[in-house]
PDB file of all heavy atoms in Angstrom:
ATOM      1  N   GLY Y 200     132.496  12.801  76.523  1.00 96.00           N
ATOM      2  CA  GLY Y 200     133.122  12.619  75.229  1.00 96.00           C
ATOM      3  C   GLY Y 200     132.179  12.541  74.058  1.00 96.00           C
ATOM      4  O   GLY Y 200     131.033  12.811  74.118  1.00 96.00           O
ATOM      5  N   PHE Y 201     132.808  12.157  72.915  1.00 94.00           N
ATOM      6  CA  PHE Y 201     132.016  11.975  71.663  1.00 94.00           C
ATOM      7  C   PHE Y 201     130.901  10.991  71.789  1.00 94.00           C
ATOM      8  O   PHE Y 201     131.175   9.888  72.102  1.00 94.00           O
ATOM      9  CB  PHE Y 201     133.048  11.561  70.609  1.00 94.00           C
ATOM     10  CG  PHE Y 201     132.430  11.491  69.235  1.00 94.00           C
ATOM     11  CD1 PHE Y 201     132.097  12.563  68.512  1.00 94.00           C
ATOM     12  CD2 PHE Y 201     132.589  10.234  68.542  1.00 94.00           C
ATOM     13  CE1 PHE Y 201     131.629  12.452  67.334  1.00 94.00           C
ATOM     14  CE2 PHE Y 201     132.183  10.189  67.140  1.00 94.00           C
ATOM     15  CZ  PHE Y 201     131.691  11.296  66.607  1.00 94.00           C
ATOM     16  N   THR Y 202     129.646  11.474  71.501  1.00 91.00           N
ATOM     17  CA  THR Y 202     128.471  10.686  71.516  1.00 91.00           C
ATOM     18  C   THR Y 202     128.091  10.491  73.019  1.00 91.00           C
ATOM     19  O   THR Y 202     127.132   9.581  73.279  1.00 91.00           O
ATOM     20  CB  THR Y 202     128.402   9.314  70.857  1.00 91.00           C
ATOM     21  OG1 THR Y 202     129.230   8.313  71.586  1.00 91.00           O
ATOM     22  CG2 THR Y 202     129.039   9.517  69.436  1.00 91.00           C
ATOM     23  N   GLY Y 203     128.736  10.994  73.962  1.00 94.00           N
ATOM     24  CA  GLY Y 203     128.443  10.643  75.354  1.00 94.00           C
ATOM     25  C   GLY Y 203     127.545  11.748  75.894  1.00 94.00           C
ATOM     26  O   GLY Y 203     126.892  12.492  75.338  1.00 94.00           O
ATOM     27  N   ARG Y 228     126.846  21.479  74.113  1.00 98.00           N
ATOM     28  CA  ARG Y 228     125.825  22.036  73.214  1.00 98.00           C
ATOM     29  C   ARG Y 228     125.506  20.883  72.126  1.00 98.00           C
ATOM     30  O   ARG Y 228     126.524  20.319  71.626  1.00 98.00           O
ATOM     31  CB  ARG Y 228     126.549  23.180  72.448  1.00 98.00           C
ATOM     32  CG  ARG Y 228     125.567  23.779  71.388  1.00 98.00           C
ATOM     33  CD  ARG Y 228     126.448  24.778  70.473  1.00 98.00           C
ATOM     34  NE  ARG Y 228     127.010  25.898  71.252  1.00 98.00           N
ATOM     35  CZ  ARG Y 228     127.358  27.109  70.786  1.00 98.00           C
ATOM     36  NH1 ARG Y 228     126.973  27.345  69.542  1.00 98.00           N
ATOM     37  NH2 ARG Y 228     127.829  28.052  71.584  1.00 98.00           N
ATOM     38  N   GLY Y 229     124.283  20.673  71.927  1.00 98.00           N
ATOM     39  CA  GLY Y 229     123.923  19.545  70.948  1.00 98.00           C
ATOM     40  C   GLY Y 229     124.051  18.173  71.431  1.00 98.00           C
ATOM     41  O   GLY Y 229     123.777  17.245  70.681  1.00 98.00           O
ATOM     42  N   GLN Y 230     124.530  17.881  72.688  1.00 97.00           N
ATOM     43  CA  GLN Y 230     124.614  16.652  73.290  1.00 97.00           C
ATOM     44  C   GLN Y 230     123.316  16.245  74.050  1.00 97.00           C
ATOM     45  O   GLN Y 230     122.858  17.011  74.903  1.00 97.00           O
ATOM     46  CB  GLN Y 230     125.818  16.423  74.304  1.00 97.00           C
ATOM     47  CG  GLN Y 230     127.110  16.363  73.463  1.00 97.00           C
ATOM     48  CD  GLN Y 230     128.241  16.190  74.413  1.00 97.00           C
ATOM     49  OE1 GLN Y 230     128.269  16.868  75.542  1.00 97.00           O
ATOM     50  NE2 GLN Y 230     129.223  15.275  74.229  1.00 97.00           N
ATOM     51  N   GLU Y 237     120.516  21.531  64.355  1.00 94.00           N
ATOM     52  CA  GLU Y 237     120.618  20.062  63.831  1.00 94.00           C
ATOM     53  C   GLU Y 237     121.700  20.013  62.713  1.00 94.00           C
ATOM     54  O   GLU Y 237     122.248  19.046  62.680  1.00 94.00           O
ATOM     55  CB  GLU Y 237     119.256  19.802  63.198  1.00 94.00           C
ATOM     56  CG  GLU Y 237     118.087  19.533  64.125  1.00 94.00           C
ATOM     57  CD  GLU Y 237     118.158  18.178  64.892  1.00 94.00           C
ATOM     58  OE1 GLU Y 237     118.629  17.230  64.115  1.00 94.00           O
ATOM     59  OE2 GLU Y 237     117.805  18.101  66.058  1.00 94.00           O
ATOM     60  N   GLU Y 240     127.016  23.035  61.421  1.00 97.00           N
ATOM     61  CA  GLU Y 240     128.368  22.515  62.057  1.00 97.00           C
ATOM     62  C   GLU Y 240     129.140  23.630  62.590  1.00 97.00           C
ATOM     63  O   GLU Y 240     129.898  23.428  63.607  1.00 97.00           O
ATOM     64  CB  GLU Y 240     129.159  21.716  61.046  1.00 97.00           C
ATOM     65  CG  GLU Y 240     128.400  20.405  60.649  1.00 97.00           C
ATOM     66  CD  GLU Y 240     129.340  19.625  59.774  1.00 97.00           C
ATOM     67  OE1 GLU Y 240     130.566  19.453  60.023  1.00 97.00           O
ATOM     68  OE2 GLU Y 240     128.923  19.017  58.708  1.00 97.00           O
ATOM     69  N   TYR Y 243     129.424  24.227  66.363  1.00 98.00           N
ATOM     70  CA  TYR Y 243     130.047  23.169  67.181  1.00 98.00           C
ATOM     71  C   TYR Y 243     131.699  23.268  66.901  1.00 98.00           C
ATOM     72  O   TYR Y 243     132.407  22.291  67.235  1.00 98.00           O
ATOM     73  CB  TYR Y 243     129.575  21.830  66.851  1.00 98.00           C
ATOM     74  CG  TYR Y 243     128.124  21.656  67.023  1.00 98.00           C
ATOM     75  CD1 TYR Y 243     127.262  21.668  66.055  1.00 98.00           C
ATOM     76  CD2 TYR Y 243     127.606  21.638  68.372  1.00 98.00           C
ATOM     77  CE1 TYR Y 243     125.894  21.594  66.196  1.00 98.00           C
ATOM     78  CE2 TYR Y 243     126.190  21.520  68.542  1.00 98.00           C
ATOM     79  CZ  TYR Y 243     125.301  21.502  67.506  1.00 98.00           C
ATOM     80  OH  TYR Y 243     123.957  21.462  67.780  1.00 98.00           O
ATOM     81  N   VAL Y 307     135.564   6.480  62.719  1.00 91.00           N
ATOM     82  CA  VAL Y 307     134.768   7.632  62.847  1.00 91.00           C
ATOM     83  C   VAL Y 307     134.482   8.224  61.496  1.00 91.00           C
ATOM     84  O   VAL Y 307     133.402   8.722  61.341  1.00 91.00           O
ATOM     85  CB  VAL Y 307     135.592   8.718  63.793  1.00 91.00           C
ATOM     86  CG1 VAL Y 307     134.836  10.070  63.727  1.00 91.00           C
ATOM     87  CG2 VAL Y 307     135.749   8.271  65.127  1.00 91.00           C
ATOM     88  N   LEU Y 310     131.543   6.471  60.352  1.00 90.00           N
ATOM     89  CA  LEU Y 310     130.393   7.008  61.103  1.00 90.00           C
ATOM     90  C   LEU Y 310     129.852   8.300  60.486  1.00 90.00           C
ATOM     91  O   LEU Y 310     128.700   8.510  60.212  1.00 90.00           O
ATOM     92  CB  LEU Y 310     130.597   7.125  62.589  1.00 90.00           C
ATOM     93  CG  LEU Y 310     129.536   7.851  63.472  1.00 90.00           C
ATOM     94  CD1 LEU Y 310     128.292   6.933  63.428  1.00 90.00           C
ATOM     95  CD2 LEU Y 310     130.068   8.168  64.771  1.00 90.00           C
ATOM     96  N   ARG Y 311     130.786   9.189  60.071  1.00 90.00           N
ATOM     97  CA  ARG Y 311     130.519  10.474  59.571  1.00 90.00           C
ATOM     98  C   ARG Y 311     129.806  10.151  58.199  1.00 90.00           C
ATOM     99  O   ARG Y 311     128.771  10.960  57.879  1.00 90.00           O
ATOM    100  CB  ARG Y 311     131.681  11.331  59.406  1.00 90.00           C
ATOM    101  CG  ARG Y 311     132.321  11.869  60.751  1.00 90.00           C
ATOM    102  CD  ARG Y 311     133.104  13.200  60.515  1.00 90.00           C
ATOM    103  NE  ARG Y 311     133.857  13.241  59.241  1.00 90.00           N
ATOM    104  CZ  ARG Y 311     135.121  12.745  59.163  1.00 90.00           C
ATOM    105  NH1 ARG Y 311     135.719  12.285  60.174  1.00 90.00           N
ATOM    106  NH2 ARG Y 311     135.706  12.827  57.955  1.00 90.00           N
ATOM    107  N   LEU Y 314     126.248   9.184  58.718  1.00 92.00           N
ATOM    108  CA  LEU Y 314     125.354  10.299  59.218  1.00 92.00           C
ATOM    109  C   LEU Y 314     125.030  11.262  58.053  1.00 92.00           C
ATOM    110  O   LEU Y 314     123.966  11.862  58.148  1.00 92.00           O
ATOM    111  CB  LEU Y 314     126.211  11.073  60.252  1.00 92.00           C
ATOM    112  CG  LEU Y 314     126.239  10.432  61.650  1.00 92.00           C
ATOM    113  CD1 LEU Y 314     127.257  11.174  62.563  1.00 92.00           C
ATOM    114  CD2 LEU Y 314     124.879  10.299  62.384  1.00 92.00           C
ATOM    115  N   MET Y 319     119.474   9.254  62.176  1.00 95.00           N
ATOM    116  CA  MET Y 319     120.027   8.947  63.444  1.00 95.00           C
ATOM    117  C   MET Y 319     119.615   7.461  63.706  1.00 95.00           C
ATOM    118  O   MET Y 319     120.345   6.689  64.276  1.00 95.00           O
ATOM    119  CB  MET Y 319     119.799   9.889  64.546  1.00 95.00           C
ATOM    120  CG  MET Y 319     120.522  11.261  64.232  1.00 95.00           C
ATOM    121  SD  MET Y 319     122.320  11.111  64.403  1.00 95.00           S
ATOM    122  CE  MET Y 319     122.360  11.032  66.226  1.00 95.00           C
ATOM    123  N   VAL Y 322     121.356   4.882  61.671  1.00 92.00           N
ATOM    124  CA  VAL Y 322     122.732   4.744  62.089  1.00 92.00           C
ATOM    125  C   VAL Y 322     122.880   3.879  63.335  1.00 92.00           C
ATOM    126  O   VAL Y 322     123.763   3.087  63.420  1.00 92.00           O
ATOM    127  CB  VAL Y 322     123.402   6.066  62.195  1.00 92.00           C
ATOM    128  CG1 VAL Y 322     124.839   5.978  62.720  1.00 92.00           C
ATOM    129  CG2 VAL Y 322     123.424   6.811  60.718  1.00 92.00           C
ATOM    130  N   VAL Y 335     132.317   5.584  70.010  1.00 50.00           N
ATOM    131  CA  VAL Y 335     130.911   5.699  69.815  1.00 50.00           C
ATOM    132  C   VAL Y 335     130.161   4.845  70.765  1.00 50.00           C
ATOM    133  O   VAL Y 335     128.923   5.057  71.013  1.00 50.00           O
ATOM    134  CB  VAL Y 335     130.531   5.326  68.358  1.00 50.00           C
ATOM    135  CG1 VAL Y 335     129.037   5.233  68.043  1.00 50.00           C
ATOM    136  CG2 VAL Y 335     131.235   6.246  67.327  1.00 50.00           C
ATOM    137  N   TRP Y 352     121.387   8.676  71.901  1.00 94.00           N
ATOM    138  CA  TRP Y 352     121.963   8.798  70.555  1.00 94.00           C
ATOM    139  C   TRP Y 352     120.955   9.649  69.759  1.00 94.00           C
ATOM    140  O   TRP Y 352     121.399  10.530  69.002  1.00 94.00           O
ATOM    141  CB  TRP Y 352     122.039   7.408  69.902  1.00 94.00           C
ATOM    142  CG  TRP Y 352     122.459   7.379  68.523  1.00 94.00           C
ATOM    143  CD1 TRP Y 352     121.489   7.314  67.489  1.00 94.00           C
ATOM    144  CD2 TRP Y 352     123.643   7.621  67.860  1.00 94.00           C
ATOM    145  NE1 TRP Y 352     122.153   7.399  66.345  1.00 94.00           N
ATOM    146  CE2 TRP Y 352     123.431   7.621  66.494  1.00 94.00           C
ATOM    147  CE3 TRP Y 352     124.939   7.864  68.352  1.00 94.00           C
ATOM    148  CZ2 TRP Y 352     124.498   7.752  65.614  1.00 94.00           C
ATOM    149  CZ3 TRP Y 352     126.070   8.168  67.448  1.00 94.00           C
ATOM    150  CH2 TRP Y 352     125.831   8.103  66.132  1.00 94.00           C
ATOM    151  N   THR Y 355     121.110  13.411  70.360  1.00 96.00           N
ATOM    152  CA  THR Y 355     122.228  14.146  69.983  1.00 96.00           C
ATOM    153  C   THR Y 355     122.150  14.785  68.566  1.00 96.00           C
ATOM    154  O   THR Y 355     121.665  13.983  67.639  1.00 96.00           O
ATOM    155  CB  THR Y 355     123.519  13.322  70.184  1.00 96.00           C
ATOM    156  OG1 THR Y 355     123.641  12.873  71.467  1.00 96.00           O
ATOM    157  CG2 THR Y 355     124.791  14.040  69.713  1.00 96.00           C
ATOM    158  N   ARG Y 356     122.543  15.919  68.390  1.00 96.00           N
ATOM    159  CA  ARG Y 356     122.404  16.578  67.040  1.00 96.00           C
ATOM    160  C   ARG Y 356     123.326  15.998  66.014  1.00 96.00           C
ATOM    161  O   ARG Y 356     124.561  15.969  66.307  1.00 96.00           O
ATOM    162  CB  ARG Y 356     122.418  18.077  67.161  1.00 96.00           C
ATOM    163  CG  ARG Y 356     121.617  18.707  68.224  1.00 96.00           C
ATOM    164  CD  ARG Y 356     120.100  18.325  68.359  1.00 96.00           C
ATOM    165  NE  ARG Y 356     119.317  19.047  69.180  1.00 96.00           N
ATOM    166  CZ  ARG Y 356     119.110  18.800  70.534  1.00 96.00           C
ATOM    167  NH1 ARG Y 356     119.741  17.754  70.959  1.00 96.00           N
ATOM    168  NH2 ARG Y 356     118.513  19.556  71.269  1.00 96.00           N
ATOM    169  N   PRO Y 357     122.898  15.698  64.763  1.00 96.00           N
ATOM    170  CA  PRO Y 357     123.799  15.271  63.745  1.00 96.00           C
ATOM    171  C   PRO Y 357     125.011  16.244  63.484  1.00 96.00           C
ATOM    172  O   PRO Y 357     126.031  15.759  63.361  1.00 96.00           O
ATOM    173  CB  PRO Y 357     122.938  15.091  62.527  1.00 96.00           C
ATOM    174  CG  PRO Y 357     121.545  14.897  63.078  1.00 96.00           C
ATOM    175  CD  PRO Y 357     121.484  15.753  64.359  1.00 96.00           C
ATOM    176  N   ALA Y 358     124.744  17.487  63.391  1.00 96.00           N
ATOM    177  CA  ALA Y 358     125.799  18.442  63.177  1.00 96.00           C
ATOM    178  C   ALA Y 358     126.857  18.408  64.206  1.00 96.00           C
ATOM    179  O   ALA Y 358     128.068  18.648  64.031  1.00 96.00           O
ATOM    180  CB  ALA Y 358     125.174  19.837  63.071  1.00 96.00           C
ATOM    181  N   GLN Y 359     126.457  18.128  65.504  1.00 97.00           N
ATOM    182  CA  GLN Y 359     127.400  17.968  66.629  1.00 97.00           C
ATOM    183  C   GLN Y 359     128.322  16.961  66.414  1.00 97.00           C
ATOM    184  O   GLN Y 359     129.526  16.936  66.518  1.00 97.00           O
ATOM    185  CB  GLN Y 359     126.669  17.903  67.923  1.00 97.00           C
ATOM    186  CG  GLN Y 359     127.655  18.178  69.121  1.00 97.00           C
ATOM    187  CD  GLN Y 359     128.156  16.909  69.701  1.00 97.00           C
ATOM    188  OE1 GLN Y 359     127.998  15.826  69.157  1.00 97.00           O
ATOM    189  NE2 GLN Y 359     129.068  17.026  70.692  1.00 97.00           N
ATOM    190  N   LEU Y 360     127.755  15.795  66.004  1.00 96.00           N
ATOM    191  CA  LEU Y 360     128.566  14.579  65.771  1.00 96.00           C
ATOM    192  C   LEU Y 360     129.517  14.696  64.551  1.00 96.00           C
ATOM    193  O   LEU Y 360     130.668  14.334  64.640  1.00 96.00           O
ATOM    194  CB  LEU Y 360     127.724  13.401  65.528  1.00 96.00           C
ATOM    195  CG  LEU Y 360     126.869  12.919  66.774  1.00 96.00           C
ATOM    196  CD1 LEU Y 360     125.851  11.916  66.351  1.00 96.00           C
ATOM    197  CD2 LEU Y 360     127.744  12.361  67.739  1.00 96.00           C
ATOM    198  N   LEU Y 361     128.911  15.332  63.526  1.00 96.00           N
ATOM    199  CA  LEU Y 361     129.842  15.555  62.284  1.00 96.00           C
ATOM    200  C   LEU Y 361     130.955  16.510  62.628  1.00 96.00           C
ATOM    201  O   LEU Y 361     132.179  16.151  62.204  1.00 96.00           O
ATOM    202  CB  LEU Y 361     128.908  16.068  61.111  1.00 96.00           C
ATOM    203  CG  LEU Y 361     127.956  15.188  60.490  1.00 96.00           C
ATOM    204  CD1 LEU Y 361     126.873  15.852  59.677  1.00 96.00           C
ATOM    205  CD2 LEU Y 361     128.686  14.096  59.742  1.00 96.00           C
ATOM    206  N   ALA Y 362     130.639  17.608  63.224  1.00 97.00           N
ATOM    207  CA  ALA Y 362     131.699  18.537  63.455  1.00 97.00           C
ATOM    208  C   ALA Y 362     132.790  18.012  64.540  1.00 97.00           C
ATOM    209  O   ALA Y 362     133.977  18.230  64.398  1.00 97.00           O
ATOM    210  CB  ALA Y 362     131.209  19.882  64.121  1.00 97.00           C
ATOM    211  N   THR Y 363     132.292  17.484  65.573  1.00 97.00           N
ATOM    212  CA  THR Y 363     133.283  16.889  66.577  1.00 97.00           C
ATOM    213  C   THR Y 363     133.994  15.769  66.193  1.00 97.00           C
ATOM    214  O   THR Y 363     135.182  15.420  66.437  1.00 97.00           O
ATOM    215  CB  THR Y 363     132.644  16.654  67.948  1.00 97.00           C
ATOM    216  OG1 THR Y 363     131.557  15.670  67.737  1.00 97.00           O
ATOM    217  CG2 THR Y 363     132.084  17.903  68.466  1.00 97.00           C
ATOM    218  N   GLY Y 364     133.387  14.922  65.241  1.00 95.00           N
ATOM    219  CA  GLY Y 364     134.091  13.854  64.628  1.00 95.00           C
ATOM    220  C   GLY Y 364     135.207  14.297  63.794  1.00 95.00           C
ATOM    221  O   GLY Y 364     136.371  13.683  63.814  1.00 95.00           O
ATOM    222  N   ARG Y 365     135.035  15.334  63.067  1.00 96.00           N
ATOM    223  CA  ARG Y 365     136.171  15.905  62.261  1.00 96.00           C
ATOM    224  C   ARG Y 365     137.292  16.493  63.201  1.00 96.00           C
ATOM    225  O   ARG Y 365     138.436  16.320  62.893  1.00 96.00           O
ATOM    226  CB  ARG Y 365     135.668  16.994  61.409  1.00 96.00           C
ATOM    227  CG  ARG Y 365     134.847  16.496  60.211  1.00 96.00           C
ATOM    228  CD  ARG Y 365     134.546  17.683  59.129  1.00 96.00           C
ATOM    229  NE  ARG Y 365     133.783  17.061  58.002  1.00 96.00           N
ATOM    230  CZ  ARG Y 365     132.500  16.989  57.988  1.00 96.00           C
ATOM    231  NH1 ARG Y 365     131.773  17.434  58.965  1.00 96.00           N
ATOM    232  NH2 ARG Y 365     131.973  16.464  56.837  1.00 96.00           N
ATOM    233  N   GLN Y 366     136.872  16.999  64.376  1.00 97.00           N
ATOM    234  CA  GLN Y 366     137.845  17.614  65.247  1.00 97.00           C
ATOM    235  C   GLN Y 366     138.832  16.355  65.767  1.00 97.00           C
ATOM    236  O   GLN Y 366     139.999  16.627  65.907  1.00 97.00           O
ATOM    237  CB  GLN Y 366     137.096  18.233  66.393  1.00 97.00           C
ATOM    238  CG  GLN Y 366     136.545  19.612  66.065  1.00 97.00           C
ATOM    239  CD  GLN Y 366     135.616  20.080  67.106  1.00 97.00           C
ATOM    240  OE1 GLN Y 366     135.798  19.846  68.367  1.00 97.00           O
ATOM    241  NE2 GLN Y 366     134.578  20.784  66.810  1.00 97.00           N
ATOM    242  N   LEU Y 367     138.094  15.234  66.147  1.00 97.00           N
ATOM    243  CA  LEU Y 367     138.817  14.112  66.601  1.00 97.00           C
ATOM    244  C   LEU Y 367     139.883  13.617  65.701  1.00 97.00           C
ATOM    245  O   LEU Y 367     140.930  13.194  66.067  1.00 97.00           O
ATOM    246  CB  LEU Y 367     137.970  12.988  67.093  1.00 97.00           C
ATOM    247  CG  LEU Y 367     137.085  13.252  68.354  1.00 97.00           C
ATOM    248  CD1 LEU Y 367     135.947  12.232  68.376  1.00 97.00           C
ATOM    249  CD2 LEU Y 367     137.998  13.149  69.532  1.00 97.00           C
TER     250      LEU Y 367
END
Side-chain angles (χ1 to χ4, degrees):
F201 185 59
T202 79
R228 181 190 302 208
Q230 283 184 317
E237 292 280 326
E240 292 186 43
Y243 303 103
V307 171
L310 173 65
R311 293 204 321 265
L314 287 168
M319 290 290 284
V322 173
V335 177
W352 171 262
T355 301
R356 310 311 188 270
Q359 194 271 354
L360 294 171
L361 289 167
T363 57
R365 288 189 176 89
Q366 290 169 30
L367 286 167

